[in-house]
Amino acid sequence: MMKNRFTAALLATALLMSGGVAIAEEESFTQWWFSPWRHKEVQPVANKVWNEECGSCHLAYQPGLLPTKSWEKLLTETALADHFGDDASLDAETLKEVRDYALANAADKSYHKRSRKIALATETGDAPLRISDVRYIKRKHHELPEKMIKGNKDVKSLSHCNKCHTKAEGGNYDNDTVSIPNYPDWKD
Ligand code: HEC
Ligand code: HEC
């Protein structure tokens, strides 16, 4: 009896550790696992101004999808005047509010699982200006054929997370919540 229990405990530890390797990417799994603030997925947006100002042209991306250094570049007066070819200018007060919100909730300030991965993937190197350019995000989609993304009239670009991630607005990007428009059988 005692022996069985001991074996079970060993097995559980081994499983935990092998799972850890898969989950961790480069981060120490124990660091993440034992953090009392560990959370799933990405922190949902909890700022009205952000939702209104940054959700009018596309999904109001969660600040936890990019690191601080990216938001610092994206959220300036000059950067927003030419925001991926669009004018997304804000008055000074609104800009301060959205910028402060993004900097306080950026990937590297978050204990949410996906944000941790994004923070790690962007720790070194230039600040990405697109979430879809983050190594971790690219890797998660590299097997998807172009016809399902760019060639898909109801998606058009990987930037439009919510076209496929049905719970993206709530910060959930889990595989189980994916549905690709026009490709109901994409998994086969
Ligand atoms: C006037 C329309 C407009 C507004 C307002 C706007 N954006 Fe954008 N945004 C765009 C366009 C256009 C793109 C490029 C999309 C593409 O390439 O398909 C983009 C792309 C982005 C991307 C990169 C997405 C990716 O991973 O490819 C981020 C991040 C982003 N916007 C953040 C914001 C934030 C934060 C705000 C609020 C301060 C904001 N946007 C407001 C039009 C807008
Ligand atoms: C063309 C549809 C499509 C678009 C657009 C898209 N994704 Fe995905 N995403 C997928 C698919 C398909 C998977 C993998 C599902 C699987 O393997 O079961 C995935 C996987 C992921 C994962 C890994 C989930 C997991 O459980 O490991 C993350 C994180 C993710 N996407 C984030 C994003 C973000 C952020 C955006 C927008 C910048 C985005 N995706 C845009 C289709 C899409």
Side-chain angles (χ1 to χ4, degrees), residues 65 114 131-132 136-137 140-141 144 148-149 155 157-161 164-165 173-175 178 180 186-187:
L65 290 172
R114 308 266 176 232
I131 301 150
S132 47
Y136 165 71
I137 297 293
K140 286 289 182 183
H141 302 94
L144 278 187
M148 293 189 191
I149 311 172
V155 179
S157 130
L158 195 62
S159 309
H160 304 145
C161 322
C164 305
H165 291 273
Y173 293 90
D174 194 88
N175 282 347
V178 173
I180 305 181
W186 64 275
K187 267 189 186 157

Side-chain angles (χ1 to χ4, degrees), residues 146-157:
E146 281 298 294
K147 65 171 184 189
M148 293 189 191
I149 311 172
K150 283 204 175 65
N152 189 339
K153 66 176 170 53
D154 296 321
V155 179
K156 293 204 182 114
S157 130

Side-chain angles (χ1 to χ4, degrees), residues 50 53-54 56-58 61 66 71 74-75 83-84 86-88 129-132 157 159-160:
W50 179 276
E53 301 296 343
C54 306
S56 55
C57 298
H58 48 63
Y61 300 111
L66 282 175
W71 293 125
L74 281 164
L75 300 177
H83 174 78
F84 304 95
D86 272 19
D87 184 351
L129 298 180
R130 286 175 177 273
I131 301 150
S132 47
S157 130
S159 309
H160 304 145

Side-chain angles (χ1 to χ4, degrees), residues 1-2 13 40 43 45 56 65 69 74 84 100 117 128 137 158 165 186:
M1 187 62 187
M2 275 301 276
T13 313
K40 287 184 178 166
Q43 170 93 59
V45 173
S56 55
L65 290 172
K69 61 183 174 185
L74 281 164
F84 304 95
D100 288 352
K117 307 249 175 111
I137 297 293
L158 195 62
H165 291 273
W186 64 275

